[in-house]
Amino acid sequence: MKKLIFMFLLWIPLSLSAQGNCEIKEQLPLKLMKQELERNFKILKKQKPPIYYISYTYTQGEEISVKAVDGGIRDEFQKPVADVEVSLRAGNPQMDNTRALRGEYSFSYGLRPEESTLSNKNSLDFLRRFWSETQSLAKDAQEKLSRVQANVRSRAENKDKSDDFVFPPLSLYCHEEPLQTFDLQKIKDLLVAVSRLTIQEKNVLKSSFNFSVEQGHRYFVDSVGTQLKTPYAYIRLFYSLYGRGKDGLEIERFNDYNVSTEKELPSLQQLTEDVRKSVAELNALAQAAEGEAANVPVILKGRAAAVFVHEVMGHRLEGDQLKDADDGQTLSGKVGQQVISPLITITADPTLTYFNGEMLRGAYEYDDEGVKSRPVVLIENGVLRNFMMRSTPIEGFPVSNGHGRKERGYPAAARMSVLRATASETVPYEKLEEMLLQEIKKQNKPFGFIVEDLAGGFTFTGASMPQSFKLETKMIYKVFPDGRKEVVRGLDVIGTPLVSFNRIIAAGNDDTVFNGSCGSVSGWVPQTNISPSLLFENMEFQKAEKSAFKPPVLPAPDFKQEEK
Amino acid sequence: MKKILLLLLGFSFLNLSAGSLPDNVYFRAMSDEMQRTMKDLRVKGSAKPFFAGYKLVDEYRHIVSASLGSKIPQREPHNSLSALVYVTAGDGQENSSGFTLASQSTYKGEEGVPAYSESVPQSYEGIRRELWKLTDDAYIFASTAYDQKKAYKKRKGLNKELPDFSQAKKASFLQEIPPFSALEEGMQERVNALSAQGKRLPYLEKFTVGRSRLQQRNYFLDSKGNFAQYYTPQDYLYIEASLRLATGEPYSFLNSYILPQDPATHPAQMQQIVEKTLAEIEKQYHAVREKKPYVGPVLFKKKAAASFFSFLFVPAASNTKPLLEGSDYNDTASGYFRDRKGMRVISPLFDVYDKPSLSQHQGKTLAGFMPVDDEGVKAEDLHLIQEGKLLAFPTIRSLVEGQKRSNGHARMSQVRLPRAGVSNLFFVPKETFSEKEMEEKLLQRCKEQELEYCYIVPSSFYYSTDEGVAFPKVVERIYTKDGRKEMVNGLKITGASSRTLRNILAAGDDTDVYNEYSKYYLFSTVSQAIVTPSVLVDEIELQSNMYIPDTPPVVPLP
């Protein structure tokens, strides 16, 4: 307990120093949430077992989505958001209901949060939603705690002896931003116009052109006394094109634009150029020869490298992965040791909001457990230093570093924010390609690969499976020793994390941002990865799975011909 | 909103005449793709497409809701266009219809999705391309199913089957579709105020009042040139409440109420419904948990009577042509009316009709309105039951023994090929009784059976027809001795079967319309109306539902 109090005191001055632009006391949701939380906590903390920590979150804002396909609007909606969420813990910080049960399958899944709109005149429903959730979750937590206790008594001891919870530091912070308005008709016209570009493309079986907005404020209070109001805004335009070869192999191109305001959205001209480029790539893929299994030198270009770092190493640097005894814990006990190529440093920095003028989706001020965000060096010149932590400690890492994240309706987990890989030495990209050719020749290989685009496949982190990964290449070039390149298709990158990350031999100076959303144990969270292009001494490729279906028997309707 | 109205005006039709296809984007796209399908779609060595049906459903919605005076966020008025494509391969005598692998009762499209798309782009090109892909999926499945069906029939020696596709007269129906009107201005404030009335019951944890307006527009075209364009408007009020009963047990209430098509009557009706619901909840609040089993007469009041018929009558009258499932035992759940013509299948007190031609009854929308069925046959009104005896049953183009043609009751959904289904069922009693008389009859029957008390089921309920089990949330116990009533929960109906329909003793004079999605078409949008009075049924078995509630909350309500 002494240790807890000490840490608590240490953190207070840091957290209270943050500057906002509004007054907490003027925020009605915070006032009511605090009042209802305190009323519940006063009684529940005296229960047996006690509810020793509660947090309330209220998300107020709006969602907008527009989808255009083949010259028409396929779906559109605009909906206010007013979600009520409760999180609580039964037992005590040393052992509580959130502990994973050894040998028992458990999977947390999201539930649509209760909704209630708060007005100055009427707060009854708002209060009752929080009350109702609290009562129901308290019973669940108390029941789960008894299962945890039984599990601890009857199952093999867990190597990690750390507590299940560390109280987050007290924070008071109020930051608000006006909600943006959008000229939706203009955006719809833009999407419909570009969606027409693919109608007559014979290799485009399906397409989708989308605009989405999630914006608003998150109100957070907890039993420590934290009160937060923070804004969020995710504005995104993206499109995808799909096709299928005669052999059933599916091909795909995707592009997205993450912006801060409507003004930053691409113009019709820019979008048209990009879509045409994507169509050309899809056509090239449709004509391309099928790749063959190989173990050869490879460059993962910026975006592909960013996906690779995220999937293969990023997930293993999430603190929760080391807490669960049923997890593979690739990096357990390796702090201070060199785990990957000494060329590479990996950081998680949710305070980074822009990079090279590009908005970063993974940035935030406070995490979903009310902890202030901060940069963390995870791997420094190949040496493991830290993990992305939430308020669930692991051995050697007793406090959160602001990486407790979740989708609404899910419990929080330690998740990535803005994950950045940097290299201690870089070369211009052109030089990297020269180095690839040299490597191909040196190893006497018939070819190498340049992967321009990778999609998340999967990476096993559970102890019952090999610690391997399989990522789908979406745009890959076969490179011959004479420098000739040809598009190939149907290859997956496979391997294991420690081996593959130690095969990095050079990096470009072309840091590239890949914004996206990552779906994992705590739902989908906005996320950013930044990486330079990476040259690997070698990497293994295998043939990709194919669909059992052919392309449609008839060609797509030929509207131009029909008009004639 | 303006946008939606403008679009709609563009799609409405003047001078409609059934006979020629309407000139709108839906029919242009369906017709053009249909021609291409029937002319060119072939897989070498496989059976040709024989019949194709396209159905586009454009659904407009506007919902507003509030709980205890606070608005619940909802989407703005919006619409979504969905498409269903049905293809058979083979010929009129024998085709792919009516056959499915035992483990698979849906189309086997890519990604396991049926030949269905829930959101189709609102453009000619978008609709064409969606139909093109769905038709391909449906045809690939159909040609495969055709080969498998032939092999299966050969193995089983099923050679003298009736034709899979009987001929029918040309059918068409064209209805002018009015623009969709969003809910009236101020509706949000009105439901806020209605839901705030829930505050008078201090134990209500949630009291949601929702107002929903839907307009479902249907566009159908098949390869034989049959077509239909029609719509179904639906105006509802729904009420959802969460509370803990006086015993501390959690309890939830959910009910929806059809509002008449005349909006002028709505404000008064909505107020009346909310007041009645609050009174009902107040009564239910005092419900006590019962575990003791009961066998005896039960009065199913109003909406409960609709659930009763939906539970036991609808499955017997549906799917009257069994599917071949590629196994030794085929489609054991298909409706048994198919071979019971002339037999008494329900109490002689009733005549029963299925009237797909009606779009409303006494000012209320009938959800089962269907002028042309999903195989392009004019949907006929049927006199199903006369004085309890089966006269007819819904049929489709694939004939069953003793049937010469389809009566136009093929209904299709996202996960079902067209099969025989009901539309608007009317249960018409020979004699009716007032609510008071019905309760007196119930008590009389109780006395005859020397029962201390009997039960009344006051509201709709969930059920599982296969297991003969139904789950009324609460029932009302009425004591034989003095007519005293009390609310009871914790009981379920067991052992019920279509045989139970013969045990109806009396019917009320309170006939009303109850619209519902047919449970038999799992996950479907196939909707039906049941028009029925309250019914008194002999010999219903109730027993404990074995539910063990949580202890009450330790923190009092705010």
Side-chain angles (χ1 to χ4, degrees), chain B residues 352-534:
Chain B
V352 184
Y353 303 85
D354 190 24
K355 298 185 177 181
S357 69
L358 296 185
S359 59
Q360 56 168 292
H361 179 68
Q362 294 177 345
K364 287 186 176 175
T365 294
L366 293 171
F369 174 52
M370 176 183 66
V372 174
D373 80 355
D374 293 330
E375 287 183 325
V377 179
K378 181 180 183 299
E380 294 173 20
D381 290 350
L382 303 175
H383 190 175
L384 299 175
I385 310 278
Q386 187 173 39
E387 295 184 353
K389 284 188 181 168
L390 185 68
L391 291 184
F393 51 84
T395 60
I396 58 174
R397 283 194 190 255
S398 180
L399 302 178
V400 293
E401 210 63 54
Q403 177 210 350
K404 289 181 179 156
R405 60 182 179 82
S406 165
N407 55 33
H409 282 254
R411 307 201 71 186
M412 163 166 73
S413 76
Q414 296 95 308
V415 292
R416 306 285 291 196
L417 307 175
R419 299 196 70 191
V422 296
S423 56
N424 299 315
L425 282 175
F426 286 73
F427 291 85
V428 182
K430 252 200 305 199
E431 192 182 5
T432 62
F433 301 94
S434 68
E435 187 176 357
K436 188 164 173 263
E437 288 170 328
M438 287 292 277
E439 287 191 7
E440 283 168 2
K441 280 188 170 292
L442 172 67
L443 286 174
Q444 178 60 34
R445 190 70 185 131
C446 279
K447 280 176 192 159
E448 286 167 17
Q449 295 188 18
E450 297 179 348
L451 294 166
E452 186 192 353
Y453 51 77
C454 291
Y455 284 110
I456 297 169
V457 181
S459 49
S460 59
F461 50 81
Y462 296 105
Y463 52 83
S464 164
T465 303
D466 292 348
E467 295 164 36
V469 186
F471 305 90
K473 285 246 172 186
V474 288
V475 291
E476 195 170 27
R477 182 147 63 197
I478 180 164
Y479 285 89
T480 317
K481 194 176 161 187
D482 53 8
R484 183 172 53 90
K485 289 178 182 171
E486 66 183 352
M487 301 306 287
V488 165
N489 71 335
L491 293 173
K492 66 178 178 184
I493 296 171
T494 58
S497 71
S498 295
R499 167 71 183 76
T500 312
L501 295 165
R502 292 161 60 106
N503 298 344
I504 301 172
L505 298 172
D509 61 0
D510 50 359
T511 293
D512 207 346
V513 177
Y514 305 98
N515 283 328
E516 54 186 39
Y517 290 117
S518 168
K519 188 178 186 299
Y520 211 68
Y521 297 87
L522 200 61
F523 307 118
S524 82
T525 54
V526 171
S527 47
Q528 67 192 21
I530 294 186
V531 184
T532 182
S534 301

